[in-house]
Amino acid sequence: HREECHICCMSFTMQNEEIDENPSDRDVGVFLPDADLIEWHAKMKAKMPRVFPEDDKVFGNDDGQHPYGTKLLAHFDDDIDKPMNCTVLGSRWKKDNVGSLYPGIESTFADNREPMYVILINGGLSQFGLMDAHIGEEGGWRVVGWKPQVNDRLDALANAHQNNVQGAHSGGRDNFSDSDPDESDERLDFYTSVHQNN
């Protein structure tokens, strides 16, 4: 059992442990270090070379993780009439419990964990595999925009955890709490155009 989020009372290490199956308020605005994801991905290449070939990249053609406020779009069952929209709020590890459910069965994931994006979808918190948002035009989730403010409650949580949101790459957010609206619009245009051209 995990206690509710208390503003700025938890260490970076605690916030990025794979404690619970599902994301919670404490995961909002917190990003895994890019270096940890690259290291995990290198282990996956060694573990499953047919699935993760040598030239595979954890972030695909992107510079790094999608920043807080990135808007993503996918289509359910690849049906263009079934769009799904979500907003990136952070990233976290999800522990693979296959070994506890099926004794003797080894996890397919390196270190028995998988990186996930924490997202806002249909008004609630959820998550999906981080690499699913970095596979380009082949499918999965694609970037359709970026807005530094999501909503008052989530922005307050993200600001409380802002010392932990440095996983965002240079193409996206800075410290959104200090963003000038005009500058935010300019960065949104730039960020969206970069990803549309990838």
Side-chain angles (χ1 to χ4, degrees), residues 49-64:
R50 290 185 179 179
V51 179
F52 296 86
E54 187 58 36
D55 61 349
D56 191 55
K57 298 178 181 178
V58 65
F59 305 121
N61 293 324
D62 298 311
D63 294 332

Side-chain angles (χ1 to χ4, degrees), residues 4-8 10 15 24-30 68 89 125 151-165 176:
E4 293 298 317
C5 175
H6 295 286
I7 303 302
C8 297
M10 296 169 294
Q15 290 176 353
S24 70
D25 284 357
R26 73 186 281 176
D27 300 305
V28 174
V30 180
Y68 180 93
L89 302 178
L125 295 183
N151 67 42
D152 290 345
R153 190 182 79 81
L154 294 174
D155 294 346
L157 287 168
N159 274 322
H161 303 146
Q162 66 183 335
N163 60 317
N164 298 326
V165 295
F176 66 81

